[in-house]
Amino acid sequence: MSKYIDIHQRVRSLLKGGTGTYPDLIILDGINAAINAILPWLSKRAIEKGVVVTSGSLIDLPDDVYLVDAVYSVTDEKWLRHWVINPTLGTFPSDPMWIEYPNGYLTLSIDCTDEVMDVYYYTTWTEVDTSGSASDNMDTPPFADLAIIYYATAYVLASSAVSAAQLRQFNTKIDSGSPDDNPLRDTSNMLMQRFINEVKLFPSLERAQK
């Protein structure tokens, strides 16, 4: 796994600016934004074992759930099918099925009070904390480093582009030709496209149940 300080330094190297131009905190924010941005293409797997259904058909999900992948009934020793609600059907399924609804919960199609379930899900990556050591490992895989660097750099430049755009309104000089009004914005957009190109190279996110 990569160390935060290595990612930080590679972002700063790409920015070609010191701490006076790009403070450490904005780079930290950019890296944390990047590890959330990769979630649709790359998420961390987790399991919540031994969940007891205490309220009929609702299961309270952990706070770090990004996407539920599968549910296994320990009580019945079988995998539950994913429930896709069809408004044209007038009856509920007789076998237990699950759907991620409402937010923060799983809803089961039948009453499963006191039954035990294992919930397999995708979770978020651990954000970097400013109180931690800069040499701490990040839990994202090394092959995601370049995508994170591109996104974090674009994030930092976008912040500067906003400031540049605000200053630009006071310009009175008429430029000839077709000048680039905000090169920082364009560079940020270019890096964001590099980010998209990188995440497309990630291994496909295969779900247990679609």
Side-chain angles (χ1 to χ4, degrees):
M1 293 184 178
S2 302
K3 294 185 180 298
Y4 168 75
I5 189 62
D6 295 333
I7 301 297
H8 180 105
Q9 289 175 345
R10 289 175 68 183
V11 171
R12 187 169 292 289
S13 176
L14 194 56
L15 288 167
K16 300 187 183 303
T19 56
T21 307
Y22 304 110
D24 288 343
L25 187 58
I26 188 66
I27 295 179
L28 173 71
D29 288 344
I31 292 174
N32 280 332
I35 64 177
N36 285 319
I38 65 174
L39 287 174
W41 298 273
L42 182 67
S43 305
K44 184 167 57 175
R45 290 179 173 87
I47 306 172
E48 185 77 1
K49 284 185 169 289
V51 178
V52 180
V53 183
T54 58
S55 57
S57 61
L58 281 180
I59 295 177
D60 192 359
L61 293 173
D63 293 336
D64 64 345
V65 168
Y66 174 68
L67 190 70
V68 175
D69 193 32
V71 180
Y72 179 76
S73 172
V74 178
T75 303
D76 295 333
E77 298 183 337
K78 67 178 182 180
W79 293 95
L80 273 58
R81 288 187 299 157
H82 187 203
W83 183 20
V84 179
I85 297 178
N86 188 338
T88 63
L89 298 178
T91 59
F92 278 34
S94 56
D95 293 329
M97 301 173 67
W98 65 271
I99 185 171
E100 194 173 349
Y101 179 86
N103 288 337
Y105 294 90
L106 283 183
T107 296
L108 304 174
S109 58
I110 63 174
D111 190 325
C112 295
T113 302
D114 295 332
E115 292 191 18
V116 180
M117 307 284 178
D118 291 342
V119 180
Y120 293 74
Y121 64 97
Y122 292 102
T123 182
T124 54
W125 301 103
T126 305
E127 291 192 358
V128 181
D129 190 340
T130 52
S131 64
S133 170
S135 62
D136 284 348
N137 286 331
M138 298 172 61
D139 59 355
T140 48
F143 69 77
D145 287 356
L146 194 54
I148 292 171
I149 290 165
Y150 282 146
Y151 190 98
T153 307
Y155 179 99
V156 174
L157 288 178
S159 175
S160 298
V162 171
S163 298
Q166 291 171 339
L167 291 173
R168 187 77 178 177
Q169 64 181 309
F170 300 107
N171 282 7
T172 56
K173 178 177 177 291
I174 305 300
D175 294 314
S176 60
S178 301
D180 192 341
D181 287 340
N182 197 329
L184 290 174
R185 177 199 59 200
D186 293 342
T187 304
S188 177
N189 290 341
M190 180 271 291
L191 288 168
M192 196 61 70
Q193 185 57 55
R194 290 283 185 90
F195 163 78
I196 294 297
N197 292 342
E198 279 297 315
V199 295
K200 286 180 179 178
L201 299 176
F202 288 179
S204 298
L205 183 63
E206 293 292 337
R207 298 191 61 187
Q209 296 179 326
K210 297 180 175 64

